[in-house]
Amino acid sequence: MSTLNFPLTLLILGLFVGCNRSPQATIPPKSNAVKSVSIAPETNKDSSDPIAQSLPPAIYQDSDGSVRLSPLTAKVLGEGLDLNEWDQIAGFKSRDQRVLWQIHLSAPGTYQVEVDAICTGPTQEARMRVYFGNNRYLEDDIQLSDNDQMLATTSLGEITLDAPKEYQVEIEMVGLPLIGKFAVSELRLVPLGENPTSFPKFKTDDGLTEGN
């Protein structure tokens, strides 16, 4: 082999080895960004719009026009809030916790809003707020119970619901912290005065009108 052909041979050999070498994988640079986490609507305590949350089944009026809201028909929102062994709502610790109902009124009118709860001392700040829709609410301090087994009834005030439709009713404890035992047993809307009724009336044989 001549001296002139030796560099050409090395060049050809180098090209051959380079073409058969496996390409080196490129490692992307690391990112310090945190991936977003999806939060279910029922656990999103930052959401202030109950419409964005899944709603419980609607509760209808009783024959006397009242609406009785039980813990068993409510949707509880917020960590730590749940039913106790007596089917009462317990575990209120922060304003992120809510209790939600949906009611269907066919006989609108003015209602007295009452709540039955166990509220023991020494707390004096067990203040409940009840929302009706997005921007109307009542609130007051809850009456103290005589003991940790006895319910106390508190009248929170009057509300006028003047349209026959479905309303979202939501309670929140705005007086915190709660020291002692606190549990909600029932929320009621009691009609005041003469409310129109949604139940049909009929005439009897003697001409009297019957119905609720």
Side-chain angles (χ1 to χ4, degrees), residues 141-157:
D141 295 334
I142 299 299
Q143 297 291 326
L144 292 178
S145 302
D146 291 339
N147 56 63
D148 61 3
Q149 303 293 325
M150 184 174 292
L151 293 170
T153 299
T154 303
S155 176
L156 298 174

Side-chain angles (χ1 to χ4, degrees), residues 34-67:
V34 178
K35 293 182 179 179
S36 62
V37 178
S38 297
I39 302 177
E42 59 268 19
T43 60
N44 184 4
K45 298 190 287 292
D46 293 333
S47 175
S48 59
D49 184 6
I51 298 178
Q53 304 161 352
S54 57
L55 296 173
I59 306 301
Y60 287 75
Q61 293 174 271
D62 290 339
S63 59
D64 61 357
S66 64
V67 182

Side-chain angles (χ1 to χ4, degrees), residues 192-209:
L192 297 176
E194 294 184 0
N195 287 349
T197 179
S198 61
F199 299 95
K201 296 183 177 181
F202 57 92
K203 294 286 186 178
T204 62
D205 293 338
D206 54 7
L208 296 178
T209 300

Side-chain angles (χ1 to χ4, degrees), residues 6-194:
F6 182 72
L8 180 61
T9 303
L10 290 178
L11 178 61
I12 295 173
L13 181 61
L15 291 174
F16 177 77
V17 173
C19 292
N20 286 276
R21 181 179 299 171
S22 299
Q24 187 174 5
T26 302
I27 301 175
K30 293 183 179 180
S31 173
N32 292 324
V34 178
K35 293 182 179 179
S36 62
V37 178
S38 297
I39 302 177
E42 59 268 19
T43 60
N44 184 4
K45 298 190 287 292
D46 293 333
S47 175
S48 59
D49 184 6
I51 298 178
Q53 304 161 352
S54 57
L55 296 173
I59 306 301
Y60 287 75
Q61 293 174 271
D62 290 339
S63 59
D64 61 357
S66 64
V67 182
R68 305 173 71 91
L69 301 178
S70 161
L72 297 176
T73 58
K75 184 177 183 65
V76 293
L77 307 170
E79 184 178 356
L81 198 61
D82 207 345
L83 300 184
N84 62 16
E85 65 272 21
W86 305 106
D87 290 333
Q88 300 165 340
I89 302 171
F92 287 95
K93 298 295 183 183
S94 74
R95 293 190 62 176
D96 292 331
Q97 300 167 315
R98 300 291 182 92
V99 181
L100 176 67
W101 289 275
Q102 184 175 211
I103 65 174
H104 180 88
L105 290 187
S106 52
T110 301
Y111 295 86
Q112 183 77 30
V113 180
E114 300 176 351
V115 60
D116 291 341
I118 295 176
C119 181
T120 64
T123 182
Q124 298 293 331
E125 299 179 352
R127 189 171 185 84
M128 178 182 289
R129 180 176 294 178
V130 182
Y131 294 91
F132 298 86
N134 294 327
N135 53 13
R136 301 178 65 193
Y137 66 87
L138 297 171
E139 71 173 63
D140 203 350
D141 295 334
I142 299 299
Q143 297 291 326
L144 292 178
S145 302
D146 291 339
N147 56 63
D148 61 3
Q149 303 293 325
M150 184 174 292
L151 293 170
T153 299
T154 303
S155 176
L156 298 174
E158 300 176 7
I159 189 77
T160 298
L161 305 174
D162 52 7
K165 64 176 184 178
E166 291 186 349
Y167 294 86
Q168 295 167 46
V169 179
E170 189 174 358
I171 66 174
E172 170 194 6
M173 294 306 299
V174 296
L176 296 167
L178 297 174
I179 303 173
K181 182 177 180 179
F182 183 81
V184 176
S185 180
E186 184 177 83
L187 185 71
R188 288 185 302 279
L189 279 69
V190 181
L192 297 176
E194 294 184 0

